[in-house]
Amino acid sequence: MTNTVESLFDTGLERYKAGESADALIPVFKEICDRAPKSSAAWTCLAWLYLLDDKPNPALKAAQKAVKLNPQDPQARLNLAIAMLETGQKGLRQHVDAANQLMIVSPELREEIRSSIEDGFSRKPDWQSLAKVQTWLFEE
């Protein structure tokens, strides 16, 4: 019996929260994206995992897809800004600004992003790009 996309996603998130490595989870989220190509949440997760695993080029592609599917997701915007920073792309500031606007409207989203950034640092302590984006989002 094959797992549903939802159960694969939930299991993948649980494994992530339990501390499983990004490289072990990338194939799980790639499968989810293959099976549900219009799931912005799956693309957002895949982009984050690629970023954690120092794979900025596939992260950029996944993050672009996530933002295209759901421009109102500040995490997708955050991932895209980080991936753009890590691949030397221009125009990332518009994504930081968009994420900021979304967080101003929703304190819940603001807290989600704050905890996502903390999680990123707990898994990748010297993450320079994340530190830059964090500064732009929370200290300007």
Side-chain angles (χ1 to χ4, degrees):
M1 183 181 114
T2 57
N3 288 331
T4 64
V5 170
E6 292 81 14
S7 72
L8 261 178
F9 187 85
D10 292 344
T11 304
L13 272 185
E14 289 307 312
R15 288 169 57 189
Y16 178 83
K17 288 176 184 167
E20 198 162 327
S21 70
D23 68 322
L25 291 169
I26 286 171
V28 174
F29 282 90
K30 275 170 80 172
E31 181 183 344
I32 295 166
C33 290
D34 288 345
R35 290 174 58 185
K38 294 199 182 322
S39 170
S40 68
W43 287 106
T44 300
C45 290
L46 183 60
W48 182 252
L49 292 169
Y50 277 136
L51 288 167
L52 284 170
D53 203 33
D54 297 318
K55 294 186 171 117
N57 290 316
L60 180 66
K61 287 186 175 78
Q64 286 170 328
K65 186 102 171 166
V67 168
K68 186 175 182 190
L69 290 167
N70 184 2
Q72 304 305 310
D73 181 350
Q75 182 67 50
R77 296 277 187 168
L78 173 80
N79 293 350
L80 183 54
I82 294 167
M84 290 174 80
L85 207 52
E86 292 187 359
T87 56
Q89 306 288 315
K90 302 230 179 300
L92 65 109
R93 194 59 197 224
Q94 75 183 40
H95 300 292
V96 173
D97 292 344
N100 227 345
Q101 291 302 311
L102 294 163
M103 291 186 330
I104 288 168
V105 175
S106 169
E108 296 85 26
L109 289 176
R110 186 172 188 78
E111 278 316 300
E112 279 178 33
I113 293 297
R114 194 181 293 280
S115 75
S116 172
I117 289 171
E118 286 170 15
D119 173 69
F121 284 128
S122 75
R123 291 169 181 263
K124 197 172 165 180
D126 329 335
W127 197 351
Q128 307 275 309
S129 304
L130 183 61
K132 269 188 186 161
V133 173
Q134 178 186 34
T135 300
W136 291 333
L137 286 175
F138 292 104
E139 294 166 23
E140 284 191 352

